[in-house]
Amino acid sequence: MHTLSALACFPYLRHLSVTSRFTSETFSIVGKDNFKDEERFFPSLEELLLGNVTGVLALANLLSLIPPTALRTISVTYSLSQHPAKELRRLAENIALHPHICVLSLRSREPTVDAVKATDISILQNLKGLRAVYLDDVLSFTTAECGIFGLVQHWPDVRTVHIDCTAWREGGWGECRVFSLGILGDILYKCPRLEQFHAAMRAVDLPARAPSRVRQRYQGPLRLSVDITSSSFDLEPYDVAESLTSIRPGIEIICDGDALFVEEWRNKWIEVNKWAGRINATRAAEREGIESELLEVIGPEAEAQIVADAEDLS
């Protein structure tokens, strides 16, 4: 801790990585009384990486001392104690003190079993600048009902979202239910820049189709990584592909997980990916044909003017 206290006064230190254990005792000698001038406590720190935190409340105290303007990346691998919900709530509250965070990684060293819910970390929705989020075994029940996927929808500029849950792979998915394609549709509408998304999901419904939403669809690619060990599949693969490509044409589906008893679901997700490619190819050919016909009717000069006007509007 004495070393950490000394480093905290370095005015130009931007990256700090601690791989040894970070315990409550480690941080007990430091408090706000020790650092009345908070600008002296890691004034330029942009990246904080902690690989073995057992004192989550102590870490929350540490974050409250760091000036809120510098931090861009927080990555924490932690273990919870007797009051997991309280610890995560305090940690989330003090992470939210740093509004310019772009990368957030919270990874539990063991599955959380003590009813930690998304409401305990809901304050993280205020981090509107997040670009990448990794949540591994952060919650007891990673379900739509507990709001974790609703939390994602508050990050409009996010590019990467990785949500994982050990219960998906250990046969506990009856209790730890996963979200559906309908909720995925909401995420894609509200997070248009999303490029990589990993979770388990059920193909039991389709995203809602609203004309106003379809007009706002984002053309960029999306790598959708599906944890198939808990991803039940009740729909026709073509219907799923047609629906998803109407929202994100550049979607690519990757299957993750090796459980043999869900091989049928894996095959269906693979079929969805094949249909998505065919649908996009067909739409591209139709669009090219329409553009060619339009060029013949209006002529190249008029077409160039239309393109120029569209660029000005954008």
Side-chain angles (χ1 to χ4, degrees), residues 65-189:
L65 296 176
I66 299 175
T69 57
L71 268 177
R72 296 296 186 272
T73 298
I74 295 180
S75 177
V76 181
T77 301
Y78 63 84
S79 299
L80 298 174
S81 63
Q82 292 87 355
H83 306 286
K86 175 183 177 181
E87 289 181 328
L88 274 187
R89 191 180 306 114
R90 280 281 305 281
L91 179 61
E93 289 171 352
N94 287 353
I95 288 176
L97 296 175
H98 302 270
H100 304 298
I101 292 176
C102 298
V103 179
L104 175 63
S105 175
L106 298 178
R107 303 176 187 271
S108 177
R109 297 179 68 89
E110 65 277 323
T112 303
V113 296
D114 295 320
V116 177
K117 298 180 179 180
T119 52
D120 296 314
I121 61 172
S122 61
I123 194 171
L124 296 178
Q125 69 185 28
N126 296 334
L127 300 177
K128 303 300 184 182
L130 282 174
R131 301 294 191 274
V133 181
Y134 304 87
L135 303 176
D136 288 5
D137 281 319
V138 172
L139 308 177
S140 304
F141 302 100
T142 310
T143 67
E145 287 78 3
C146 77
I148 184 60
F149 299 107
L151 180 61
V152 173
Q153 297 175 42
H154 289 276
W155 302 322
D157 292 329
V158 71
R159 268 72 165 176
T160 299
V161 175
H162 181 104
I163 299 177
D164 208 344
C165 184
T166 300
W168 291 345
R169 295 179 296 280
E170 294 184 347
W173 57 273
E175 296 180 359
C176 185
R177 290 179 293 163
V178 300
F179 77 119
S180 65
L181 288 174
I183 296 175
L184 174 63
D186 291 337
I187 291 174
L188 295 183
Y189 286 127

Side-chain angles (χ1 to χ4, degrees), residues 225-272:
S225 176
V226 182
D227 189 329
I228 62 167
T229 50
S230 292
S231 297
S232 57
F233 208 111
D234 299 334
L235 303 176
E236 289 297 323
Y238 175 84
D239 294 335
V240 175
E242 197 277 334
S243 178
L244 292 179
T245 54
S246 69
I247 305 171
R248 290 292 293 271
I251 194 167
E252 177 190 9
I253 298 170
I254 307 297
C255 294
D256 188 17
D258 298 320
L260 295 178
F261 68 93
V262 293
E263 191 64 26
E264 179 184 357
W265 298 343
R266 178 198 296 275
N267 292 337
K268 287 188 175 182
W269 281 112
I270 291 175
E271 191 174 350
V272 170

Side-chain angles (χ1 to χ4, degrees), residues 195-243:
E195 297 173 355
Q196 298 188 51
F197 186 83
H198 171 85
M201 66 190 74
R202 299 175 296 151
V204 296
D205 64 353
L206 294 175
R209 295 168 179 267
S212 59
R213 285 178 164 183
V214 173
R215 286 197 298 268
Q216 299 171 3
R217 69 180 183 178
Y218 185 66
Q219 299 295 325
L222 170 66
R223 188 177 190 271
L224 180 63
S225 176
V226 182
D227 189 329
I228 62 167
T229 50
S230 292
S231 297
S232 57
F233 208 111
D234 299 334
L235 303 176
E236 289 297 323
Y238 175 84
D239 294 335
V240 175
E242 197 277 334
S243 178

